[in-house]
Amino acid sequence: MKKTRVMVVDDSVMFRTLLINALSGDSRFEVVGFAVNAMDAMNKIPLYKPEVLTLDIEMPGMTGLEFLKRLLPKYPIPVVLVSSLNVKVFDALAAGAVDFVRKPDDQNHIRRDAFLATLINKVVVASHSRVRLPTAEGFIIADGAVTQKTSGGIRSYTAPAHAAGTAINSRVPMPLKGIHPSDDMVLAIGASTGGTEAILAVMQQFPAAMPGIVITQHMPPGFTAMYAERLNRLCKVEVREAKHGDRLQPGLALLAPGGIQMRLVRMGTGYSVSCSGTEKVSGHCPSVDVLFDSVASIARDKAIGVILTGMGADGAAGLLRMRKNGAYTIGQDKESCVVYGMPMEAYKIGAVCTQVSLNSVASTVIARLASQK
């Protein structure tokens, strides 16, 4: 098998050595080089031609975030962020990074080994990912040809095969007519790799007058609260990290907390959420399957399910149960996914009523809600 060419960018000698040794010890990777800072990386990338980068965000001189903004338009390489608990992670994901993994807070060998196992898995996923460049900067990715709109005209070049995809416009205006949210309708959304920006792209298009929304995005503890705050700041719908017993209501979206399973439960004529259990289901905690299963059982035909970009099959079986129980189900299409894994598995088993581009997910949801009245 051809090994994935990986480059490590980190200013810490100790941490850089840890990453290089771990990645070099996996037969799927070839560590082709390392860089001690952003400028060093920018100089070495044309020489080493890496297929995946691991990148520290906090570095002296040019930060990892500034580096990403300069790097990806020129070299659309999948980047896995390696960072402490920092809100800049979401800025870096918005700039086009594929995924992130949290650095361990100490040298506890159990935490270190768990971190390295997670890192290796994220690098594998990144090697199968498409790079999404921010459309706010005028970048479009399609069939491997990347076009940059500049004041001087159009500049094009050929991107790596894994960078093929489509541009995402998160500000398409949505019609407000026909939406009359009620306590018995639920919208359930699940995503993984690439999902932080995909969910934002969908949620930004929703009016405030939406049914209650429940969301599971694969994310570790500590980050979900910051992500919910980001969504809440940028969307018309109120978004909160869920707490056990929170009541779901129109105009509110509840995000599953990292490391805890979230389920929909009945509360009188409406719904609330149960947040309990740390066991992994379908390889994840929180798990999309856990959320979708509960929605299938509790909301039945009063639900809409959406499965977005992500590696693996989490959510596919749960979405199928939702569809069998009368829910309307939507899958993101291959061309607009960072990783066409979870939506593909759902589509293959017949769990998806309709498959649409990321740009069309919100309008499809709204059209379905309007048709229900």
Side-chain angles (χ1 to χ4, degrees), residues 65-344:
L65 177 58
E66 293 168 334
F67 170 66
L68 270 178
K69 291 177 179 178
R70 294 192 189 186
L71 170 77
L72 295 182
K74 190 173 182 181
Y75 302 105
I77 303 165
V79 173
V80 177
L81 306 169
V82 183
S83 173
S84 57
L85 182 59
N86 193 309
V87 72
K88 291 181 181 177
V89 163
F90 297 108
D91 294 331
L93 291 171
V98 168
D99 210 338
F100 68 92
V101 59
R102 181 179 179 178
K103 284 184 176 181
D105 295 327
D106 53 46
Q107 293 305 305
N108 179 291
H109 74 278
I110 295 176
R111 291 192 185 94
R112 185 193 64 194
D113 291 347
F115 157 76
L116 292 174
T118 301
L119 172 72
I120 287 171
N121 180 62
K122 303 266 187 184
V123 173
V124 171
V125 173
S127 70
H128 295 89
S129 300
R130 296 182 171 106
V131 176
R132 182 199 58 80
L133 299 180
T135 55
E137 300 296 328
F139 295 107
I140 303 168
I141 307 180
D143 300 326
V146 178
T147 301
Q148 180 185 1
K149 298 177 183 176
T150 69
S151 57
I154 301 293
R155 181 171 70 86
S156 298
Y157 60 90
T158 301
H162 56 244
T166 56
I168 296 168
N169 178 2
S170 63
R171 297 193 178 276
V172 177
M174 289 291 105
L176 304 183
K177 294 186 296 182
I179 304 283
H180 305 287
S182 60
D183 288 344
D184 62 350
M185 282 298 299
V186 178
L187 170 61
I189 302 173
S192 186
T193 308
T196 55
E197 290 306 298
I199 290 170
L200 174 60
V202 172
M203 293 286 291
Q204 278 187 310
Q205 297 183 52
F206 287 150
M210 287 292 291
I213 302 170
V214 283
I215 304 168
T216 290
Q217 161 71 41
H218 294 161
M219 196 175 290
F223 286 90
T224 43
M226 292 191 300
Y227 181 53
E229 289 170 6
R230 178 180 176 85
L231 290 175
N232 188 60
R233 186 171 68 251
L234 298 174
C235 302
K236 298 180 184 70
V237 172
E238 180 186 359
V239 184
R240 300 200 305 252
E241 182 187 51
K243 293 181 175 59
H244 183 73
D246 276 352
R247 187 180 183 95
L248 188 64
Q249 56 194 22
L252 174 65
L254 296 175
L255 176 71
I260 300 175
Q261 300 292 3
M262 183 175 78
R263 298 170 175 85
L264 187 74
V265 296
R266 176 65 69 179
M267 176 181 277
T269 59
Y271 308 101
S272 66
V273 293
S274 166
C275 298
S276 64
T278 58
E279 75 290 350
K280 289 187 177 182
V281 176
S282 302
H284 298 279
C285 184
S287 162
V288 181
D289 268 329
V290 167
L291 176 64
F292 284 179
D293 278 344
S294 68
V295 174
S297 174
I298 300 299
R300 302 182 67 82
D301 63 343
K302 298 294 184 180
I304 297 174
V306 176
I307 192 162
L308 301 174
T309 174
M311 179 68 90
D314 185 31
L319 196 71
L320 180 61
R321 293 186 189 98
M322 285 184 64
R323 184 175 187 183
K324 287 182 175 179
N325 282 2
Y328 186 73
T329 57
I330 302 166
Q332 185 178 348
D333 68 6
K334 180 178 180 179
E335 289 72 25
S336 64
C337 280
V338 171
V339 181
Y340 185 57
M342 288 160 49
M344 177 185 70

